[in-house]
Amino acid sequence: MVVDQPTFNVLGTLEVRSSGRSLRIAGTKPRILLASLLLNADRVVGADLLVEVLWPRRRPRSAQANLRTYVSSLRGVLAAAGARIQARPPGYVIELAPEQLDVLLFEDLLAGARAAGRTDEAFDRLRRALALWRGTPLAELPGSPLWDGRLQSLAEARLGAAEELVALRLERGDHAGAIGELRGLLKEHPFREDLWRQLMLALHRSGRQAEALHTYTTVRRQLVTELGVEPGADLRRAHSAILAGEPLPTVAVPGHPPALAAPRQLPPDMPDFTGRAESVALLTRALTFAERPAPGPPSIVVVMGAPGVGKSALAVHCAHAVRAGYPAGQLYLDLRGTDPVPADPGELLAEALRALGADAAGLPGTERERAALYRSLLAERPMLVFLDDAADAAQVRPLLPGNGCAVLVTSRRRITELPGALRLELDVLSPREAADLLAAIVGPERLEREREAASAILTACCHLPLAVRIAGARLAGRPGWSLGVLRQRLEVESNRLSELRAGDLGVRVSLDRSYRLLPEDAARAFRALGLLGPQSLPGWVVDAALGRHRADEVTDVLVDANLLQLVGTDPIGQPRYRLHDLVRCNAREKAGGASDRHALIRVLGAWTATTESATARLPTTLFSLTSASATRWHLAEDTLGRLTADPLSWFDAEHDALVGAVRLAADAGLAGSAWGLAAALVPYFDLRCHFDEWRSTHRIALEAARLAKDRHGEAAMLRGLAQVSLYQDRYAEATEMFRRSLRIFRELGDRRGEATSICGLGAVNQFCGENLRALGYFRQALAMFLAMGDQSGEAYARQAIGRACLTSGDLRQASNWLDAALRLAREIGDSHREGCVSMQFGRLHDLGADPGQAMRFQGRALDIFEGLGDLHCGAYAMQGLGGLQVVRGDRSHASDQLERSLLIFQRLGDRSGEAATVQRLGELHRSAGRTRLARNYLHHALVLRRELRGGADLAVGAGARDVPN
């Protein structure tokens, strides 16, 4: 007989072996922990359950930390044995092959023996299985009530195996061997009448009738004396047969395979099943028996998706489409994966075995034995096995047939661990499919009469099949309603889930089933995400929501539960996530406690802190304003460094989320966060010319600041709005807001804010032709910047004064001021300011009749702005360069530069820049002799100037773009 030597042994004292020697495991608690994991090998054991086993009476405060320490200590020992403990929410698991653990090997050998029938193989397997027992399992350890069920099951399995071995010995005529084993069993189980009957049979068959009769006398005396009962009918009949000299009937071998039934258990197909043509084709092809080589492994298909997406409906429809190919039968098992306690695989196997014709009373006692018998029964009779609503792969694995069958699994969770399985991730219906489903329920004529309302209803349902079916059921039950009634009810997002309910169907009910299964951290994150709006979000948002770094495992839990969608990876390599709109409604309903608001504040604080960090790396941050009252939550340093290494790319990736965060903060009454984030975004909006978003975020934050009576926020937002108005040539509007911001900054004693507003007023006056007044503002601002030691502000003010001198024709003074500004910009590393000053130097040399130097400076400015990605300033540099090329007669290159700049000005709504460029294009066409075309351009430039200033000519050149941002 083969002598098995598993690495891990619990059928006796706990023992771990490696290379023929026992490994020492120090400490009682690590041994109890290992025993708990081994008794549940291949299954996750919850951390809370392990804590209860380790500290049954009173757990210490550090129980979870201590548990992690014990796990760590065991990992070092187990590595030498070729195994490891894995952390897997909500606890830990040790995964082992049957030959590595005596319990698994025992169950595997026992199942194999029962599947083999009355054969030598069965006899050998039973002997090997029983030889693994070295005594009472884990006898040296204190034990736990939580072990009792497993240990009792093993004890019963051992007794059953021993009885089967005795029965086989009797069949083979090995009466002496049977007698010896039976006497040993009766010492452990003195009141088991079936064992006494087998002993009487063995003695009788070996010619020892007197001993057989004495055995009956012994057991009767024992039963009467100790229990007060007479022997049972079977034992009495055996006694009578021996007295009469009659042969005793043969003892049946337990576990003999039953006759196979042909179950037909598929749920009914939906008569109005609609759409999913590609998915139906894929599934039916994978499940069709004729499409697969035989014999071969089972064909496994897993349909996964969010609650209500129609997984079971699709699976049932496809199962019916292929059922004719499985005449041996179709099994259906409801795994109840979304119940608080999912169905136990052992119970599911019992249900399947009963459906296959097995005698309920004779079912094997353990899950592993049942699984082996289940595989044996299906081995020669390929069936379609439908496993609906699976909790996870661990629940599915014992239910997989050995070969030949097709298995169809549905689950809300992402089950990806089943080798060779075809995985289908089901999404919502297409708009056309959703409309077809609604029409199938309420009638196409009704939809046709109110197509707009029908479209709005489907949009509110997010094309989720469950929601569409409920909406259809409500309309079908109310034929007097117009579709507009339901449309109005669904328009209010906060009430939408209450409307999407009909009878026992409800979107909220369906979503709640998934929510209840979430661990606490995942539930907290889910509620927080519900507050963050519909846009996609980076994964680190979950970190901020939970207030701890690197919470990736929580994100994974939500993704695996199909509550959080992974929508892709952005250009900087971040995974992006979002909640389906109806899921978001459900999450927001559940939020509302103080902890959820704190989570929201932390997320907004993370946006603010990260935005400020990215802004600090931009090429220009001149006059940026910050909110002292805004909360800040900082990402892990390595995460922050990686994300903001290329700040423009980060801003581009987070553009929509950042704009949404400003509104979110305002709606939550967090004015400081709203205006602090809006202000931090200004350098990016400026660089990328996102004027619409700049204006909208500042208006939202301005209103929030006023409601909160936050005067500093009000001033900052007025200053930012004035800047946008200046860029878009709304000079009166810009002047009013610069003055109001200046007044508030002055009242608050904010000298820096005051200086920035003064610079803005100087810029407005300069571009309205009030050069002397502008110069006064710039000199006043310069004195303030010098007093504060603000070198960036000083560089701007010196450049602005140089520009004013240039406009007035004082080239020498302009050169001095611009030269000082250029030196300072280079000294502080402000390349954007260097580009702005270079444009003014280009104008200076143009006016000084030095076209070569003018071209060099304008080219330098264009190179800088294009390198920084600043389209707007780049357009002004192109405009200046194009004008110089016109003068030099290089019409082809001039036309290219001017046309490119014109497109940018028109797209950004910069009418002054557009007017100057159109003027120069007119001059270019006039110099080329294209008189009519030139006249059209020049007339258009005149119209633009009149619109801007009521007929007064514009000062052309650098434009309003070159003002403080």
PDB file of all heavy atoms in Angstrom, residues 800-832:
ATOM      1  N   ALA A 800       5.421  95.869 -17.437  1.00  0.00           N
ATOM      2  CA  ALA A 800       4.250  96.679 -17.764  1.00  0.00           C
ATOM      3  C   ALA A 800       4.629  98.138 -17.960  1.00  0.00           C
ATOM      4  O   ALA A 800       4.121  98.822 -18.877  1.00  0.00           O
ATOM      5  CB  ALA A 800       3.198  96.539 -16.658  1.00  0.00           C
ATOM      6  N   ILE A 801       5.530  98.648 -17.107  1.00  0.00           N
ATOM      7  CA  ILE A 801       5.988 100.034 -17.266  1.00  0.00           C
ATOM      8  C   ILE A 801       6.742 100.176 -18.583  1.00  0.00           C
ATOM      9  O   ILE A 801       6.572 101.158 -19.329  1.00  0.00           O
ATOM     10  CB  ILE A 801       6.872 100.448 -16.076  1.00  0.00           C
ATOM     11  CG1 ILE A 801       6.025 100.502 -14.790  1.00  0.00           C
ATOM     12  CG2 ILE A 801       7.539 101.792 -16.334  1.00  0.00           C
ATOM     13  CD1 ILE A 801       6.839 100.657 -13.521  1.00  0.00           C
ATOM     14  N   GLY A 802       7.596  99.185 -18.905  1.00  0.00           N
ATOM     15  CA  GLY A 802       8.314  99.226 -20.185  1.00  0.00           C
ATOM     16  C   GLY A 802       7.349  99.213 -21.354  1.00  0.00           C
ATOM     17  O   GLY A 802       7.566  99.929 -22.352  1.00  0.00           O
ATOM     18  N   ARG A 803       6.282  98.440 -21.251  1.00  0.00           N
ATOM     19  CA  ARG A 803       5.297  98.398 -22.335  1.00  0.00           C
ATOM     20  C   ARG A 803       4.608  99.746 -22.487  1.00  0.00           C
ATOM     21  O   ARG A 803       4.357 100.222 -23.601  1.00  0.00           O
ATOM     22  CB  ARG A 803       4.276  97.306 -22.051  1.00  0.00           C
ATOM     23  CG  ARG A 803       3.281  97.088 -23.190  1.00  0.00           C
ATOM     24  CD  ARG A 803       2.326  95.956 -22.875  1.00  0.00           C
ATOM     25  NE  ARG A 803       1.505  96.254 -21.707  1.00  0.00           N
ATOM     26  CZ  ARG A 803       1.388  95.479 -20.639  1.00  0.00           C
ATOM     27  NH1 ARG A 803       2.042  94.331 -20.565  1.00  0.00           N
ATOM     28  NH2 ARG A 803       0.614  95.829 -19.621  1.00  0.00           N
ATOM     29  N   ALA A 804       4.298 100.386 -21.333  1.00  0.00           N
ATOM     30  CA  ALA A 804       3.659 101.705 -21.388  1.00  0.00           C
ATOM     31  C   ALA A 804       4.597 102.738 -22.028  1.00  0.00           C
ATOM     32  O   ALA A 804       4.166 103.578 -22.840  1.00  0.00           O
ATOM     33  CB  ALA A 804       3.262 102.146 -19.982  1.00  0.00           C
ATOM     34  N   CYS A 805       5.874 102.690 -21.682  1.00  0.00           N
ATOM     35  CA  CYS A 805       6.845 103.591 -22.299  1.00  0.00           C
ATOM     36  C   CYS A 805       6.934 103.329 -23.802  1.00  0.00           C
ATOM     37  O   CYS A 805       7.052 104.268 -24.610  1.00  0.00           O
ATOM     38  CB  CYS A 805       8.223 103.417 -21.651  1.00  0.00           C
ATOM     39  SG  CYS A 805       8.316 103.948 -19.933  1.00  0.00           S
ATOM     40  N   LEU A 806       6.881 102.095 -24.178  1.00  0.00           N
ATOM     41  CA  LEU A 806       6.936 101.720 -25.586  1.00  0.00           C
ATOM     42  C   LEU A 806       5.751 102.304 -26.340  1.00  0.00           C
ATOM     43  O   LEU A 806       5.887 102.851 -27.442  1.00  0.00           O
ATOM     44  CB  LEU A 806       6.946 100.191 -25.697  1.00  0.00           C
ATOM     45  CG  LEU A 806       7.337  99.559 -27.026  1.00  0.00           C
ATOM     46  CD1 LEU A 806       8.736  99.972 -27.436  1.00  0.00           C
ATOM     47  CD2 LEU A 806       7.269  98.043 -26.892  1.00  0.00           C
ATOM     48  N   THR A 807       4.581 102.236 -25.724  1.00  0.00           N
ATOM     49  CA  THR A 807       3.369 102.755 -26.348  1.00  0.00           C
ATOM     50  C   THR A 807       3.446 104.270 -26.507  1.00  0.00           C
ATOM     51  O   THR A 807       2.968 104.828 -27.512  1.00  0.00           O
ATOM     52  CB  THR A 807       2.134 102.373 -25.506  1.00  0.00           C
ATOM     53  OG1 THR A 807       2.080 100.956 -25.396  1.00  0.00           O
ATOM     54  CG2 THR A 807       0.853 102.882 -26.147  1.00  0.00           C
ATOM     55  N   SER A 808       4.077 104.928 -25.524  1.00  0.00           N
ATOM     56  CA  SER A 808       4.183 106.401 -25.598  1.00  0.00           C
ATOM     57  C   SER A 808       5.319 106.856 -26.494  1.00  0.00           C
ATOM     58  O   SER A 808       5.493 108.055 -26.727  1.00  0.00           O
ATOM     59  CB  SER A 808       4.372 106.971 -24.193  1.00  0.00           C
ATOM     60  OG  SER A 808       5.616 106.543 -23.657  1.00  0.00           O
ATOM     61  N   GLY A 809       6.131 105.920 -26.988  1.00  0.00           N
ATOM     62  CA  GLY A 809       7.209 106.254 -27.924  1.00  0.00           C
ATOM     63  C   GLY A 809       8.544 106.514 -27.276  1.00  0.00           C
ATOM     64  O   GLY A 809       9.510 106.866 -27.972  1.00  0.00           O
ATOM     65  N   ASP A 810       8.660 106.336 -25.951  1.00  0.00           N
ATOM     66  CA  ASP A 810       9.929 106.562 -25.257  1.00  0.00           C
ATOM     67  C   ASP A 810      10.725 105.253 -25.297  1.00  0.00           C
ATOM     68  O   ASP A 810      10.719 104.460 -24.347  1.00  0.00           O
ATOM     69  CB  ASP A 810       9.663 107.002 -23.825  1.00  0.00           C
ATOM     70  CG  ASP A 810      10.938 107.457 -23.100  1.00  0.00           C
ATOM     71  OD1 ASP A 810      12.039 107.142 -23.607  1.00  0.00           O
ATOM     72  OD2 ASP A 810      10.822 108.071 -22.020  1.00  0.00           O
ATOM     73  N   LEU A 811      11.461 105.036 -26.419  1.00  0.00           N
ATOM     74  CA  LEU A 811      12.126 103.754 -26.619  1.00  0.00           C
ATOM     75  C   LEU A 811      13.267 103.535 -25.643  1.00  0.00           C
ATOM     76  O   LEU A 811      13.528 102.396 -25.234  1.00  0.00           O
ATOM     77  CB  LEU A 811      12.629 103.658 -28.059  1.00  0.00           C
ATOM     78  CG  LEU A 811      11.577 103.807 -29.169  1.00  0.00           C
ATOM     79  CD1 LEU A 811      12.205 103.485 -30.525  1.00  0.00           C
ATOM     80  CD2 LEU A 811      10.393 102.901 -28.912  1.00  0.00           C
ATOM     81  N   ARG A 812      13.958 104.615 -25.274  1.00  0.00           N
ATOM     82  CA  ARG A 812      15.089 104.440 -24.357  1.00  0.00           C
ATOM     83  C   ARG A 812      14.610 103.980 -22.988  1.00  0.00           C
ATOM     84  O   ARG A 812      15.144 103.023 -22.416  1.00  0.00           O
ATOM     85  CB  ARG A 812      15.861 105.765 -24.232  1.00  0.00           C
ATOM     86  CG  ARG A 812      17.148 105.634 -23.387  1.00  0.00           C
ATOM     87  CD  ARG A 812      17.898 106.956 -23.339  1.00  0.00           C
ATOM     88  NE  ARG A 812      17.111 107.990 -22.701  1.00  0.00           N
ATOM     89  CZ  ARG A 812      17.001 108.122 -21.370  1.00  0.00           C
ATOM     90  NH1 ARG A 812      17.629 107.297 -20.565  1.00  0.00           N
ATOM     91  NH2 ARG A 812      16.265 109.092 -20.847  1.00  0.00           N
ATOM     92  N   GLN A 813      13.603 104.655 -22.432  1.00  0.00           N
ATOM     93  CA  GLN A 813      13.062 104.232 -21.140  1.00  0.00           C
ATOM     94  C   GLN A 813      12.443 102.825 -21.222  1.00  0.00           C
ATOM     95  O   GLN A 813      12.584 102.008 -20.309  1.00  0.00           O
ATOM     96  CB  GLN A 813      11.995 105.227 -20.665  1.00  0.00           C
ATOM     97  CG  GLN A 813      12.567 106.512 -20.085  1.00  0.00           C
ATOM     98  CD  GLN A 813      13.369 106.260 -18.815  1.00  0.00           C
ATOM     99  OE1 GLN A 813      13.002 105.419 -17.995  1.00  0.00           O
ATOM    100  NE2 GLN A 813      14.499 106.966 -18.677  1.00  0.00           N
ATOM    101  N   ALA A 814      11.790 102.570 -22.346  1.00  0.00           N
ATOM    102  CA  ALA A 814      11.195 101.244 -22.522  1.00  0.00           C
ATOM    103  C   ALA A 814      12.268 100.170 -22.473  1.00  0.00           C
ATOM    104  O   ALA A 814      12.103  99.121 -21.834  1.00  0.00           O
ATOM    105  CB  ALA A 814      10.435 101.173 -23.850  1.00  0.00           C
ATOM    106  N   SER A 815      13.398 100.428 -23.130  1.00  0.00           N
ATOM    107  CA  SER A 815      14.486  99.451 -23.152  1.00  0.00           C
ATOM    108  C   SER A 815      15.021  99.202 -21.752  1.00  0.00           C
ATOM    109  O   SER A 815      15.296  98.052 -21.368  1.00  0.00           O
ATOM    110  CB  SER A 815      15.604  99.940 -24.069  1.00  0.00           C
ATOM    111  OG  SER A 815      16.665  99.023 -24.090  1.00  0.00           O
ATOM    112  N   ASN A 816      15.170 100.291 -20.963  1.00  0.00           N
ATOM    113  CA  ASN A 816      15.700 100.139 -19.603  1.00  0.00           C
ATOM    114  C   ASN A 816      14.769  99.278 -18.742  1.00  0.00           C
ATOM    115  O   ASN A 816      15.207  98.368 -18.027  1.00  0.00           O
ATOM    116  CB  ASN A 816      15.882 101.518 -18.962  1.00  0.00           C
ATOM    117  CG  ASN A 816      17.023 102.295 -19.610  1.00  0.00           C
ATOM    118  OD1 ASN A 816      17.912 101.698 -20.242  1.00  0.00           O
ATOM    119  ND2 ASN A 816      16.997 103.619 -19.483  1.00  0.00           N
ATOM    120  N   TRP A 817      13.485  99.611 -18.773  1.00  0.00           N
ATOM    121  CA  TRP A 817      12.519  98.872 -17.951  1.00  0.00           C
ATOM    122  C   TRP A 817      12.410  97.405 -18.401  1.00  0.00           C
ATOM    123  O   TRP A 817      12.357  96.486 -17.567  1.00  0.00           O
ATOM    124  CB  TRP A 817      11.140  99.533 -18.024  1.00  0.00           C
ATOM    125  CG  TRP A 817      11.046 100.783 -17.198  1.00  0.00           C
ATOM    126  CD1 TRP A 817      11.051 102.067 -17.656  1.00  0.00           C
ATOM    127  CD2 TRP A 817      10.968 100.876 -15.778  1.00  0.00           C
ATOM    128  NE1 TRP A 817      10.967 102.957 -16.625  1.00  0.00           N
ATOM    129  CE2 TRP A 817      10.911 102.245 -15.439  1.00  0.00           C
ATOM    130  CE3 TRP A 817      10.931  99.942 -14.739  1.00  0.00           C
ATOM    131  CZ2 TRP A 817      10.814 102.693 -14.124  1.00  0.00           C
ATOM    132  CZ3 TRP A 817      10.827 100.402 -13.436  1.00  0.00           C
ATOM    133  CH2 TRP A 817      10.779 101.738 -13.129  1.00  0.00           C
ATOM    134  N   LEU A 818      12.382  97.214 -19.710  1.00  0.00           N
ATOM    135  CA  LEU A 818      12.253  95.843 -20.209  1.00  0.00           C
ATOM    136  C   LEU A 818      13.506  95.028 -19.923  1.00  0.00           C
ATOM    137  O   LEU A 818      13.428  93.824 -19.616  1.00  0.00           O
ATOM    138  CB  LEU A 818      11.962  95.847 -21.708  1.00  0.00           C
ATOM    139  CG  LEU A 818      10.577  96.373 -22.119  1.00  0.00           C
ATOM    140  CD1 LEU A 818      10.472  96.468 -23.638  1.00  0.00           C
ATOM    141  CD2 LEU A 818       9.479  95.468 -21.565  1.00  0.00           C
ATOM    142  N   ASP A 819      14.665  95.676 -20.026  1.00  0.00           N
ATOM    143  CA  ASP A 819      15.903  94.961 -19.749  1.00  0.00           C
ATOM    144  C   ASP A 819      15.938  94.497 -18.282  1.00  0.00           C
ATOM    145  O   ASP A 819      16.336  93.372 -17.980  1.00  0.00           O
ATOM    146  CB  ASP A 819      17.096  95.872 -20.054  1.00  0.00           C
ATOM    147  CG  ASP A 819      18.413  95.116 -19.964  1.00  0.00           C
ATOM    148  OD1 ASP A 819      18.583  94.127 -20.720  1.00  0.00           O
ATOM    149  OD2 ASP A 819      19.252  95.478 -19.122  1.00  0.00           O
ATOM    150  N   ALA A 820      15.513  95.372 -17.371  1.00  0.00           N
ATOM    151  CA  ALA A 820      15.469  95.000 -15.952  1.00  0.00           C
ATOM    152  C   ALA A 820      14.474  93.862 -15.722  1.00  0.00           C
ATOM    153  O   ALA A 820      14.728  92.927 -14.947  1.00  0.00           O
ATOM    154  CB  ALA A 820      15.092  96.222 -15.112  1.00  0.00           C
ATOM    155  N   ALA A 821      13.328  93.918 -16.412  1.00  0.00           N
ATOM    156  CA  ALA A 821      12.323  92.862 -16.267  1.00  0.00           C
ATOM    157  C   ALA A 821      12.847  91.537 -16.787  1.00  0.00           C
ATOM    158  O   ALA A 821      12.625  90.476 -16.177  1.00  0.00           O
ATOM    159  CB  ALA A 821      11.046  93.247 -17.022  1.00  0.00           C
ATOM    160  N   LEU A 822      13.584  91.581 -17.929  1.00  0.00           N
ATOM    161  CA  LEU A 822      14.109  90.349 -18.512  1.00  0.00           C
ATOM    162  C   LEU A 822      15.160  89.721 -17.602  1.00  0.00           C
ATOM    163  O   LEU A 822      15.170  88.495 -17.390  1.00  0.00           O
ATOM    164  CB  LEU A 822      14.702  90.641 -19.895  1.00  0.00           C
ATOM    165  CG  LEU A 822      15.187  89.436 -20.688  1.00  0.00           C
ATOM    166  CD1 LEU A 822      14.021  88.467 -20.955  1.00  0.00           C
ATOM    167  CD2 LEU A 822      15.817  89.859 -22.013  1.00  0.00           C
ATOM    168  N   ARG A 823      16.039  90.544 -17.039  1.00  0.00           N
ATOM    169  CA  ARG A 823      17.063  90.016 -16.133  1.00  0.00           C
ATOM    170  C   ARG A 823      16.422  89.370 -14.910  1.00  0.00           C
ATOM    171  O   ARG A 823      16.816  88.282 -14.484  1.00  0.00           O
ATOM    172  CB  ARG A 823      18.022  91.137 -15.693  1.00  0.00           C
ATOM    173  CG  ARG A 823      19.024  91.565 -16.758  1.00  0.00           C
ATOM    174  CD  ARG A 823      20.208  92.308 -16.114  1.00  0.00           C
ATOM    175  NE  ARG A 823      19.764  93.394 -15.245  1.00  0.00           N
ATOM    176  CZ  ARG A 823      19.495  94.630 -15.642  1.00  0.00           C
ATOM    177  NH1 ARG A 823      19.653  94.941 -16.928  1.00  0.00           N
ATOM    178  NH2 ARG A 823      19.104  95.560 -14.784  1.00  0.00           N
ATOM    179  N   LEU A 824      15.417  90.020 -14.358  1.00  0.00           N
ATOM    180  CA  LEU A 824      14.771  89.498 -13.160  1.00  0.00           C
ATOM    181  C   LEU A 824      14.000  88.203 -13.475  1.00  0.00           C
ATOM    182  O   LEU A 824      14.038  87.244 -12.691  1.00  0.00           O
ATOM    183  CB  LEU A 824      13.821  90.545 -12.577  1.00  0.00           C
ATOM    184  CG  LEU A 824      13.152  90.201 -11.238  1.00  0.00           C
ATOM    185  CD1 LEU A 824      14.190  89.835 -10.178  1.00  0.00           C
ATOM    186  CD2 LEU A 824      12.299  91.372 -10.755  1.00  0.00           C
ATOM    187  N   ALA A 825      13.335  88.158 -14.616  1.00  0.00           N
ATOM    188  CA  ALA A 825      12.590  86.945 -14.999  1.00  0.00           C
ATOM    189  C   ALA A 825      13.532  85.755 -15.114  1.00  0.00           C
ATOM    190  O   ALA A 825      13.213  84.641 -14.667  1.00  0.00           O
ATOM    191  CB  ALA A 825      11.848  87.170 -16.312  1.00  0.00           C
ATOM    192  N   ARG A 826      14.706  86.002 -15.738  1.00  0.00           N
ATOM    193  CA  ARG A 826      15.671  84.911 -15.873  1.00  0.00           C
ATOM    194  C   ARG A 826      16.256  84.524 -14.515  1.00  0.00           C
ATOM    195  O   ARG A 826      16.512  83.347 -14.244  1.00  0.00           O
ATOM    196  CB  ARG A 826      16.767  85.329 -16.840  1.00  0.00           C
ATOM    197  CG  ARG A 826      16.312  85.356 -18.299  1.00  0.00           C
ATOM    198  CD  ARG A 826      17.346  85.949 -19.224  1.00  0.00           C
ATOM    199  NE  ARG A 826      16.931  85.824 -20.628  1.00  0.00           N
ATOM    200  CZ  ARG A 826      17.528  86.445 -21.638  1.00  0.00           C
ATOM    201  NH1 ARG A 826      18.578  87.253 -21.402  1.00  0.00           N
ATOM    202  NH2 ARG A 826      17.093  86.287 -22.875  1.00  0.00           N
ATOM    203  N   GLU A 827      16.434  85.495 -13.654  1.00  0.00           N
ATOM    204  CA  GLU A 827      17.023  85.233 -12.338  1.00  0.00           C
ATOM    205  C   GLU A 827      16.104  84.351 -11.492  1.00  0.00           C
ATOM    206  O   GLU A 827      16.565  83.451 -10.791  1.00  0.00           O
ATOM    207  CB  GLU A 827      17.273  86.572 -11.632  1.00  0.00           C
ATOM    208  CG  GLU A 827      17.892  86.430 -10.246  1.00  0.00           C
ATOM    209  CD  GLU A 827      18.088  87.786  -9.581  1.00  0.00           C
ATOM    210  OE1 GLU A 827      18.373  88.769 -10.299  1.00  0.00           O
ATOM    211  OE2 GLU A 827      17.930  87.861  -8.345  1.00  0.00           O
ATOM    212  N   ILE A 828      14.812  84.579 -11.563  1.00  0.00           N
ATOM    213  CA  ILE A 828      13.880  83.798 -10.742  1.00  0.00           C
ATOM    214  C   ILE A 828      13.343  82.576 -11.490  1.00  0.00           C
ATOM    215  O   ILE A 828      12.530  81.820 -10.960  1.00  0.00           O
ATOM    216  CB  ILE A 828      12.697  84.669 -10.245  1.00  0.00           C
ATOM    217  CG1 ILE A 828      11.868  85.203 -11.436  1.00  0.00           C
ATOM    218  CG2 ILE A 828      13.190  85.804  -9.369  1.00  0.00           C
ATOM    219  CD1 ILE A 828      10.646  86.019 -11.002  1.00  0.00           C
ATOM    220  N   GLY A 829      13.810  82.359 -12.730  1.00  0.00           N
ATOM    221  CA  GLY A 829      13.420  81.175 -13.491  1.00  0.00           C
ATOM    222  C   GLY A 829      12.005  81.223 -14.031  1.00  0.00           C
ATOM    223  O   GLY A 829      11.374  80.175 -14.227  1.00  0.00           O
ATOM    224  N   ASP A 830      11.483  82.439 -14.283  1.00  0.00           N
ATOM    225  CA  ASP A 830      10.121  82.587 -14.798  1.00  0.00           C
ATOM    226  C   ASP A 830      10.182  82.666 -16.320  1.00  0.00           C
ATOM    227  O   ASP A 830      10.268  83.754 -16.909  1.00  0.00           O
ATOM    228  CB  ASP A 830       9.484  83.846 -14.210  1.00  0.00           C
ATOM    229  CG  ASP A 830       8.000  83.970 -14.557  1.00  0.00           C
ATOM    230  OD1 ASP A 830       7.556  83.252 -15.484  1.00  0.00           O
ATOM    231  OD2 ASP A 830       7.301  84.782 -13.932  1.00  0.00           O
ATOM    232  N   SER A 831      10.142  81.506 -16.970  1.00  0.00           N
ATOM    233  CA  SER A 831      10.276  81.485 -18.433  1.00  0.00           C
ATOM    234  C   SER A 831       9.073  82.133 -19.117  1.00  0.00           C
ATOM    235  O   SER A 831       9.213  82.724 -20.198  1.00  0.00           O
ATOM    236  CB  SER A 831      10.440  80.043 -18.919  1.00  0.00           C
ATOM    237  OG  SER A 831       9.349  79.240 -18.505  1.00  0.00           O
ATOM    238  N   HIS A 832       7.912  82.049 -18.522  1.00  0.00           N
ATOM    239  CA  HIS A 832       6.734  82.674 -19.138  1.00  0.00           C
ATOM    240  C   HIS A 832       6.895  84.189 -19.173  1.00  0.00           C
ATOM    241  O   HIS A 832       6.610  84.843 -20.197  1.00  0.00           O
ATOM    242  CB  HIS A 832       5.475  82.297 -18.376  1.00  0.00           C
ATOM    243  CG  HIS A 832       4.211  82.651 -19.093  1.00  0.00           C
ATOM    244  ND1 HIS A 832       3.629  83.893 -18.999  1.00  0.00           N
ATOM    245  CD2 HIS A 832       3.435  81.932 -19.961  1.00  0.00           C
ATOM    246  CE1 HIS A 832       2.539  83.929 -19.751  1.00  0.00           C
ATOM    247  NE2 HIS A 832       2.402  82.751 -20.340  1.00  0.00           N
TER     248      HIS A 832
END
